[in-house]
Amino acid sequence: MRQLITPSILLALAMLGTSGAAIGANCTVNLEGNDRMQFNLKEATVSASCDEITVNLKHTGNLPVAAMGHNVVIAKTPDVAGLSADAIKAGAANGYLPPGDPRTIAATEMIGGGQASSVRFPANDLKAGGDYTFFCSFPGHAGVMKGALKVTD
Ligand code: ZN
């Protein structure tokens, strides 16, 4: 018995090792935005032990990007007010996000109804226990289209 069990434990440990520390961790956030300027989540949780975080955005409405554009921007909560103000200044040509702004930790494309967009970024851009917010940077949306991004170990 002992010789049968030991190899399986070793195999299990080896699988844990090769799959990284992300087993059971939240590495993906699935968000939906609609024509009523709402996200489906007010809060999301990810784990800093993931290799990468994936944020998926689906626009479930019908309105075009110019009228009801949505994206998902992740930033430190104290940066959100300044970043969303500068996003409006950046204008439609820049997808309502200042290009190369270091306050943007990650951002999806700005999309319209029926479209989807994703972004992946290294999980170590986030710190466990840090204060992060996800929001839409389309003009006038950040006030309601936002939520807390909680980061666990
Ligand atoms: Zn929006």
Side-chain angles (χ1 to χ4, degrees):
M1 270 316 267
R2 194 178 182 88
Q3 283 186 340
L4 286 177
I5 289 168
T6 308
S8 9
I9 291 169
L10 287 173
L11 181 63
L13 288 172
M15 286 171 71
L16 276 173
T18 52
S19 304
I23 289 175
N26 285 319
C27 303
T28 304
V29 177
N30 293 310
L31 275 167
E32 290 181 3
N34 63 23
D35 281 346
R36 288 173 295 152
M37 213 170 86
Q38 293 167 327
F39 278 137
N40 62 327
L41 300 177
K42 288 277 174 211
E43 187 182 305
T45 303
V46 295
S47 169
S49 69
C50 300
D51 291 333
E52 280 188 325
I53 305 294
T54 302
V55 177
N56 298 315
L57 172 66
K58 195 174 159 191
H59 193 318
T60 59
N62 298 305
L63 293 172
V65 64
M68 186 56 68
H70 298 318
N71 65 357
V72 179
V73 180
I74 292 169
K76 289 178 182 164
T77 300
D79 288 340
V80 171
L83 183 56
S84 59
D86 289 344
I88 296 168
K89 291 180 202 154
N94 289 306
Y96 294 110
L97 209 56
D101 194 300
R103 293 171 296 183
T104 301
I105 296 170
T108 69
E109 295 287 304
M110 185 71 70
I111 57 170
Q115 296 181 306
S117 180
S118 295
V119 65
R120 288 172 138 203
F121 62 98
N124 59 19
D125 287 355
L126 302 172
K127 214 174 125 192
D131 186 7
Y132 302 97
T133 292
F134 64 85
F135 69 99
C136 173
S137 69
F138 192 90
H141 289 199
V144 284
M145 292 192 78
K146 67 178 176 188
L149 183 70
K150 312 235 165 173
V151 184
T152 59
D153 283 326

